[in-house]
Amino acid sequence: MSSDQFDSALDLLRRLPPHSTAANLNRICALAPDLTEELLSSVDQPLQTRQCKKTKRDYLLCDYNRDGDSYRSPWSNEFYPEVEDAEMPSERVRKMEVRMGEAVEVYREL
C-alpha cells in the first residue's frame, strides 16, 4: 500500500459530505482493497446497530466485536453472518461482558 494512496483517500473522505462517510468509505475500499484495514481503523464512522437473530435485542457494530465483515452479538455470543474460525472472548471476559450487559439493563430501566 502506498502512503500517498492512503493520504489521498483520507483527504477525499474529508472533502465529501459527513453524512455519507460510511458509503464513501465502502466505495473507496472497493476501489483500493489494500487500503481497507488501515482505512477502517483510521476513519470514524457513525455507530450502527444490528438486531441479534437469537435474542432479538439490538447491539452496536464496532471494531471490538468485528471479525472481517461479521459482528458478534454480546447477547448470544454468535457472529452474524457466521464465521467458522472467529476469535471469541475468553470465558472470563465473556462472564464480565454478560455482567456488564445486565448492569446496563438495570440502569436503563431506572
Side-chain angles (χ1 to χ4, degrees), residues 26-70:
N26 287 335
R27 290 179 186 122
I28 292 172
C29 289
L31 290 172
D34 54 322
L35 299 176
T36 300
E37 247 350 276
E38 195 166 357
L39 282 172
L40 289 177
S41 65
S42 300
V43 177
D44 290 332
Q45 298 181 63
L47 289 175
Q48 297 176 320
T49 62
R50 186 173 290 166
Q51 190 176 72
C52 177
K53 292 178 183 178
K54 191 173 190 177
T55 65
K56 306 294 185 216
R57 296 177 75 179
D58 292 336
Y59 63 97
L60 293 175
L61 305 183
C62 64
D63 284 338
Y64 299 107
N65 63 349
R66 180 171 70 91
D67 191 340
D69 292 332
S70 297

Side-chain angles (χ1 to χ4, degrees), residues 1-17 20-21 24-40 42-44:
M1 158 182 56
S2 161
S3 173
D4 289 340
Q5 286 180 321
F6 179 70
D7 291 341
S8 295
L10 290 178
D11 187 49
L12 180 60
L13 285 168
R14 280 195 278 290
R15 295 170 190 271
L16 293 169
S20 303
T21 299
N24 291 326
L25 183 59
N26 287 335
R27 290 179 186 122
I28 292 172
C29 289
L31 290 172
D34 54 322
L35 299 176
T36 300
E37 247 350 276
E38 195 166 357
L39 282 172
L40 289 177
S42 300
V43 177
D44 290 332

Side-chain angles (χ1 to χ4, degrees), residues 8 52 68 74 81 88 92 106:
S8 295
C52 177
M88 301 300 279
R92 178 177 171 265
V106 168

